[in-house]
Amino acid sequence: DPLVRRDLARLLRAVDTLKRKYNIDETQIYVTGISDGGTGVYYVALKEPNLWSSYLPLNGSLAVLRNPQTGADGEMHGNNFVNAPLYVVNGENDQLYPVAQVEPHMAWLKRMGVNLLFRPQAGAGHNTAWWPTERAPFETFVHDHPRPAHPAALSWETERVDRFNRNRWLIINEIRTDSSRQTELTDLGFFIHSRRSGRVDIRRNGNTFDAIVRDVASLTLLLSPDAIDFSKPVIVTVNGKQLFGSAVKKDLGALLRWAAKDNDRTSLYGAELTIAVP
């Protein structure tokens, strides 16, 4: 397996172990790293977003993820950053990833509407000499961005469904292969793509879900009693067409499966609703 995939699995297991041992606030679990660790934070935001409240890459670079020699597992889809509050620090004179090289990446993210705070450090190299003055705003950003239990809107894109196909209460089950759309070559001119991907942008208002879907044949919504009213119909509209409109029964099996998998007291799911997209 690619090294990055193994490292990500270890990270997720470590957090799960800590959550089972200590009374950790699930809304305040953030991820940060320095240098290659900072680049890894970008990767986590793009591929495995379910745990984290915010992402704080320090002295890292998005451009590293474009290099096939990095060994990153899977393709990168930039719009997945829309779900990710980012606090980015780079040094002006960093020998590897200077501010001048990173600034175009930050401009690209801002054009997509990413929640981003960029903190360039004047005169700094590839080190953390700036930490004494950066610690306070770093910690403020973390505490100002708790993870919402059931976000009203989600966006997710993936080229595979065996992993990296879930964002909180949204799961992409099947990518359509029977359409004539040509595979996109680039993601807004940044990430190169060679495989067909599927994307879902979805918003929940009470019991109503409105989704815009591209090249997805099936998706699943995880329904929480903290987010919807199970005594009323659930309405699901996909690309302007209503595909579901009835009550959903609570499912104890679904509740137990996801509680065991997520180990998250703030996000309990009472049912799964799978939607086939015609």
Side-chain angles (χ1 to χ4, degrees):
D1 292 345
L3 178 61
V4 173
R5 180 182 170 191
R6 297 201 305 270
D7 289 345
L8 179 56
R10 292 190 187 105
L11 176 62
L12 297 177
R13 284 197 302 270
V15 174
D16 184 71
T17 299
L18 290 170
K19 286 165 63 179
R20 294 179 190 277
K21 187 172 183 179
Y22 301 102
N23 184 24
I24 291 175
D25 182 356
E26 293 98 331
T27 71
Q28 288 279 351
I29 302 175
Y30 67 94
V31 58
T32 188
I34 301 169
S35 190
D36 283 349
T39 300
V41 171
Y42 288 123
Y43 178 81
V44 170
L46 290 171
K47 307 302 284 186
E48 190 65 53
N50 300 302
L51 277 176
W52 317 106
S53 57
S54 55
Y55 306 79
L56 298 95
L58 312 177
N59 295 346
S61 174
L62 266 178
V64 174
L65 295 177
R66 291 192 296 190
N67 187 343
Q69 295 180 349
T70 302
D73 187 18
E75 296 191 351
M76 309 299 136
H77 302 283
N79 65 279
N80 290 352
F81 279 124
V82 171
N83 310 285
L86 286 171
Y87 183 102
V88 180
V89 179
N90 286 93
E92 179 184 23
N93 298 325
D94 190 314
Q95 304 93 314
L96 299 177
Y97 316 123
V99 166
Q101 182 192 97
V102 173
E103 279 179 329
H105 309 165
M106 300 300 104
W108 174 65
L109 293 172
K110 288 180 179 179
R111 286 198 301 271
M112 289 193 296
V114 174
N115 181 356
L116 168 67
L117 182 58
F118 183 40
R119 300 280 293 181
Q121 302 296 312
H126 195 71
N127 56 55
T128 55
W130 37 260
W131 178 245
T133 56
E134 199 61 25
R135 177 175 178 175
F138 178 105
E139 293 179 347
T140 296
F141 186 88
V142 169
H143 291 293
D144 286 350
H145 292 85
R147 191 194 65 171
H150 306 285
L154 292 173
S155 175
W156 198 247
E157 184 170 357
T158 184
E159 81 286 358
R160 65 195 310 160
V161 296
D162 59 330
R163 55 184 178 272
F164 307 143
N165 63 325
R166 177 188 174 197
N167 185 6
R168 307 296 299 280
W169 47 263
L170 167 67
I171 302 170
I172 296 176
N173 302 320
E174 184 181 354
I175 297 172
R176 191 173 298 284
T177 59
D178 57 355
S179 65
S180 59
R181 184 183 68 85
Q182 296 296 311
T183 302
E184 294 174 325
L185 296 179
T186 61
D187 187 348
L188 295 181
F190 195 83
F191 290 120
I192 297 173
H193 296 151
S194 61
R195 298 177 59 185
R196 182 185 297 276
S197 61
R199 174 173 170 175
V200 177
D201 294 272
I202 187 165
R203 181 172 293 276
R204 186 194 72 248
N205 183 9
N207 276 32
T208 299
F209 295 81
D210 188 13
I212 302 297
V213 169
R214 190 209 70 208
D215 286 351
V216 171
S218 173
L219 58 93
T220 292
L221 306 178
L222 302 178
L223 306 180
S224 171
D226 295 325
I228 71 158
D229 185 346
F230 276 88
S231 69
K232 297 178 180 179
V234 173
I235 310 298
V236 180
T237 300
V238 175
N239 295 341
K241 182 178 180 180
Q242 183 175 318
L243 298 184
F244 188 86
S246 63
V248 177
K249 292 183 179 180
K250 292 181 180 179
D251 181 351
L252 179 60
L255 173 65
L256 294 176
R257 281 195 305 276
W258 289 104
K261 178 178 176 60
D262 292 345
N263 185 26
D264 188 334
R265 297 164 296 182
T266 71
S267 298
L268 298 174
Y269 302 111
E272 303 170 340
L273 176 59
T274 297
I275 303 294
V277 181

